Amino acid sequence: MKKIAIVGAGPTGIYTLFSLLKKKTPHSVTVYEQANEAGVGMPYSDEENSRMMLANIASIEIPPLFLTYIDWLRNQSTAHLARYGVQKSELHVRQFLPRILLGEYFRDQFLTLVRQARDCGFEVNVRESCQVTDLEATSAGIQVWAEKSPGPERYDFAVIATGHVWPDDEDATRSFFPSPWSGLMEAKIPACRVGIMGTSLSGLDAAMAVVIQHGEFVEAENDRIAFRLDEASEALKIVLMSRSGILPEADFYCPIPYEPLTTVTEKAVNAEIDAGSDGLLDRIFRLMVRELTQADPQWSHTIGLASLNVDSFHDAYFAARHQHDPFRWAESNLDEVERNKRDKRTVPWRYTILRMHEVVEEIVPFLHEQDRARFNAGLARVFIDNYAAIPSQSVRRLLALRQAGIISILALGAEYEMDVQDNLTVISAQDHRNEFDVFIDARGQKPLKIKDLPFPTLRHQLETTGDEIPDVGDDYTLLEPECVRGRIAFGALPWLMHDQPFVQGLTVCADIAEAIASAIEQPASRSRRKLPFIEL
């Protein structure tokens, strides 16, 4: 038996153990989880979320464990689902449901997984409320230090699956929250002027965490929602901010699993990578133009796609939304999306961009510095806007807050300044000064470097390479320095984002886990990065 440590029992850790079980080779596995319950994961825990917060992934997209999510939901009692505002009779595979409910699913499946693995000859030890404090690669294996342990424990292989990293609750104050997951759920927010940096789903969730302390959403006619503000909370005003001031669109209907692309295929992209980094980004964009033109000639003609390049595509893509009030656009987009869902109609250009983003992402490690900057400024933002579409219910709630006069949007532009003065957060942009009594930074996960690793000894070992980010192979095992090679798999998303800017979501967690399980069974990896990492 190989002795394996899995550090983190969120989705990546769960799918790793599940993938090992499918390999049918028994191992001795210890799962470390710093939270009270293993198998939930921070994005879905009841400590970090309210029942208002929706997961932006539906059952049809979630890689199944022993049960699909929808089958698990159908096994729950009507009363239990009702506590989350979910009607059992209305369940369907494309439904977006509260994150906490998805956390319950993963917890239940994790417990089943542990039992099944033990029945199949695995030795499984689950250590909850047990934070790993350090790792070290030695000639004898991997040493792991953890809280409540008298000393290090040795393993043959370690999997780092620690998930997202947010500032500690201690970094928050009564008036400033460095993330929506840094004490906001437990904080009492007064009825005041609240600023939220970020207009994605994280920003909307932060707004929901505030408003439910000051009123309630009520169902209206035609699937609309209204918000009833408490009389004592009339001073509550929330401002969502971003450089563009654009809101995400509602999640759209499309065939799942994805239909194959015809031009921007894995084979075609790899051929362009093999042709060299010079001009790579522009060559890939030409493939994208061909794919989009074939899929949706009318839309391509409308935005003048044939005359666009990598740098101008972004502006053309967002032009119509910039010309309209963001809330009116959101309402119009919501009506369109819901109509398409009823009719099972797919908008070709949206679906094509969605399918292209993971294929195009493969070029990122091979781009020169200038092209990496061009990609981040243009295509990356288009792809993110497309795949980060949000649940329709979140849009309805946003519109309800707008109708109640509670929420507004502020476009900051490219240049703005943020300062804290006398417990006020001051945002200065475009010659305007905006003061907020409470401020929440909801811009999402930032890419992390080796220097950010919470494991001092492993951090020191990796720093000897001179690299700023971990050198990770195709199977997510660390390749450098030699002492770690083939012994540690790095599945922590924030450290993968430099070369995989779209690495997010449960399907990615399952893919990473499958690659790691294969590495444990039969190590064989090559570097994902061919060019030196460059700070942008």
Side-chain angles (χ1 to χ4, degrees):
M1 279 191 176
K2 283 186 179 178
K3 193 174 180 182
I4 300 164
I6 298 178
V7 183
T12 301
I14 295 170
Y15 282 116
T16 297
L17 183 55
F18 184 65
S19 297
L20 286 172
L21 179 59
K22 290 191 296 182
K23 300 288 184 184
K24 299 182 179 180
T25 301
H27 298 291
S28 174
V29 181
T30 298
V31 180
Y32 293 91
E33 173 54 49
Q34 65 179 355
N36 295 332
E37 290 188 334
V40 178
M42 185 282 299
Y44 313 112
S45 73
D46 56 5
E47 295 176 353
E48 305 291 347
N49 298 274
S50 74
R51 297 185 181 186
M52 294 289 299
M53 295 180 174
L54 301 177
N56 63 342
I57 187 169
S59 177
I60 193 172
E61 301 172 86
I62 297 173
L65 292 156
F66 296 100
L67 284 176
T68 63
Y69 186 34
I70 190 68
D71 287 339
W72 180 86
L73 288 165
R74 288 167 177 159
N75 287 340
Q76 307 308 301
S77 70
T78 300
H80 182 68
L81 295 178
R83 286 197 287 270
Y84 295 93
V86 177
Q87 298 298 319
K88 189 171 184 177
S89 60
E90 298 177 0
L91 288 171
H92 59 86
V93 295
R94 291 178 180 265
Q95 191 173 9
F96 296 102
L97 299 170
R99 291 183 193 169
I100 298 175
L101 201 53
L102 184 52
E104 289 188 10
Y105 163 74
F106 277 118
R107 170 67 173 177
D108 180 80
Q109 294 295 282
F110 174 74
L111 296 176
T112 302
L113 176 56
V114 171
R115 290 194 299 268
Q116 292 274 1
R118 288 170 176 165
D119 289 343
C120 291
F122 283 68
E123 294 178 3
V124 183
N125 181 23
V126 180
R127 299 186 181 178
E128 297 174 318
S129 301
C130 185
Q131 183 174 3
V132 170
T133 57
D134 206 359
L135 292 95
E136 180 184 18
T138 72
S139 59
I142 304 299
Q143 292 200 104
V144 175
W145 284 263
E147 294 177 337
K148 304 176 184 178
S149 296
E153 188 163 350
R154 189 192 66 80
Y155 295 91
D156 300 306
F157 196 97
V159 179
I160 299 176
T162 47
H164 291 285
V165 177
W166 306 111
D168 293 333
D169 291 359
E170 290 77 9
D171 296 331
T173 68
R174 293 181 180 179
S175 60
F176 184 87
F177 296 87
S179 86
W181 298 276
S182 300
L184 179 62
M185 292 302 108
E186 298 80 26
K188 175 62 179 176
I189 306 298
C192 61
R193 188 166 172 82
V194 178
I196 299 176
M197 185 67 75
T199 55
S200 67
L201 185 58
S202 295
L204 301 188
D205 282 343
M208 299 306 156
V210 174
V211 298
I212 58 174
Q213 300 184 32
H214 298 280
E216 62 178 344
F217 289 95
V218 294
E219 298 292 333
E221 296 180 354
N222 301 322
D223 290 330
R224 300 298 181 183
I225 298 175
F227 185 77
R228 185 181 298 139
L229 185 67
D230 295 340
E231 290 184 5
S233 298
E234 293 179 354
L236 180 65
K237 300 294 179 184
I238 297 176
V239 181
L240 297 175
M241 292 166 278
S242 68
R243 284 186 170 88
S244 67
I246 286 178
L247 289 168
E249 294 193 315
D251 186 81
F252 50 89
Y253 178 85
C254 66
I256 299 174
Y258 295 160
E259 296 172 352
L261 295 163
T262 58
T263 303
V264 186
T265 63
E266 183 178 351
K267 181 179 179 181
V269 169
N270 285 334
E272 295 297 343
I273 291 172
D274 291 340
S277 295
D278 292 343
L280 174 59
L281 181 60
D282 296 291
R283 297 197 305 273
I284 292 296
F285 182 73
R286 287 195 288 271
L287 293 180
M288 291 176 56
V289 170
R290 287 168 52 192
E291 188 80 60
L292 284 163
T293 302
Q294 180 179 350
D296 200 329
Q298 181 177 350
W299 179 82
S300 299
H301 176 74
T302 299
I303 71 165
L305 183 59
S307 64
L308 300 177
N309 57 34
V310 170
D311 306 302
S312 58
F313 179 62
H314 168 276
D315 291 345
Y317 174 88
F318 287 106
R321 283 152 75 178
H322 276 298
Q323 294 168 5
H324 294 81
D325 174 84
F327 292 102
R328 290 185 178 178
W329 182 274
E331 186 168 17
S332 175
N333 171 251
L334 177 64
D335 290 340
E336 176 197 353
V337 162
E338 290 304 293
R339 185 168 58 252
N340 289 341
K341 288 178 180 178
R342 288 192 297 270
D343 298 339
K344 295 185 177 181
R345 176 180 179 270
T346 300
V347 177
W349 66 265
R350 284 196 175 99
Y351 187 39
T352 301
I353 291 175
L354 177 64
R355 289 176 292 159
M356 286 194 296
H357 82 271
E358 289 184 345
V359 186
V360 173
E361 182 185 48
E362 293 298 317
I363 72 172
V364 173
F366 303 91
L367 295 175
H368 289 312
E369 177 182 6
Q370 183 178 0
D371 282 350
R372 177 83 73 101
R374 294 170 66 205
F375 178 82
N376 289 344
L379 289 184
R381 294 182 182 180
V382 170
F383 285 133
I384 292 170
D385 176 76
N386 176 272
Y387 74 65
I390 64 177
S392 292
Q393 187 75 341
S394 296
V395 179
R396 294 189 187 98
R397 290 169 178 169
L398 177 69
L399 293 173
L401 295 177
R402 173 63 171 175
Q403 184 67 31
I406 295 170
I407 204 163
S408 61
I409 301 286
L410 176 62
L412 298 174
E415 301 292 335
Y416 66 89
E417 294 182 358
M418 184 171 72
D419 190 21
V420 178
Q421 303 174 4
D422 299 326
N423 290 326
L424 292 177
T425 298
V426 180
I427 303 291
S428 300
Q430 303 179 22
D431 299 325
H432 292 284
R433 174 185 170 95
N434 302 273
E435 296 183 351
F436 301 100
D437 305 292
V438 173
F439 191 85
I440 306 163
D441 191 335
R443 285 177 287 187
Q445 179 67 66
K446 297 176 176 63
L448 299 179
K449 302 178 184 179
I450 289 173
K451 67 179 180 62
D452 302 308
L453 273 175
F455 313 117
T457 305
L458 179 61
R459 181 174 66 240
H460 175 72
Q461 289 181 310
L462 298 186
E463 285 175 338
T464 62
T465 65
D467 288 339
E468 291 189 275
I469 61 173
D471 190 2
V472 179
D474 286 339
D475 57 13
Y476 295 92
T477 56
L478 291 170
L479 300 179
E480 298 293 339
E482 186 176 354
C483 63
V484 304
R485 190 176 304 155
R487 298 168 182 242
I488 298 177
F490 210 101
L493 302 188
W495 283 271
L496 302 176
M497 292 174 66
H498 296 279
D499 289 344
Q500 298 173 261
F502 311 135
V503 62
Q504 48 77 42
L506 295 175
T507 55
V508 171
C509 291
D511 290 343
I512 291 173
E514 180 63 33
I516 291 173
S518 296
I520 292 172
E521 295 294 329
Q522 189 173 1
S525 187
R526 60 184 179 86
S527 178
R528 298 182 64 90
R529 269 191 307 131
K530 296 300 188 296
L531 294 179
F533 168 70
I534 299 168
E535 179 69 56
L536 299 176

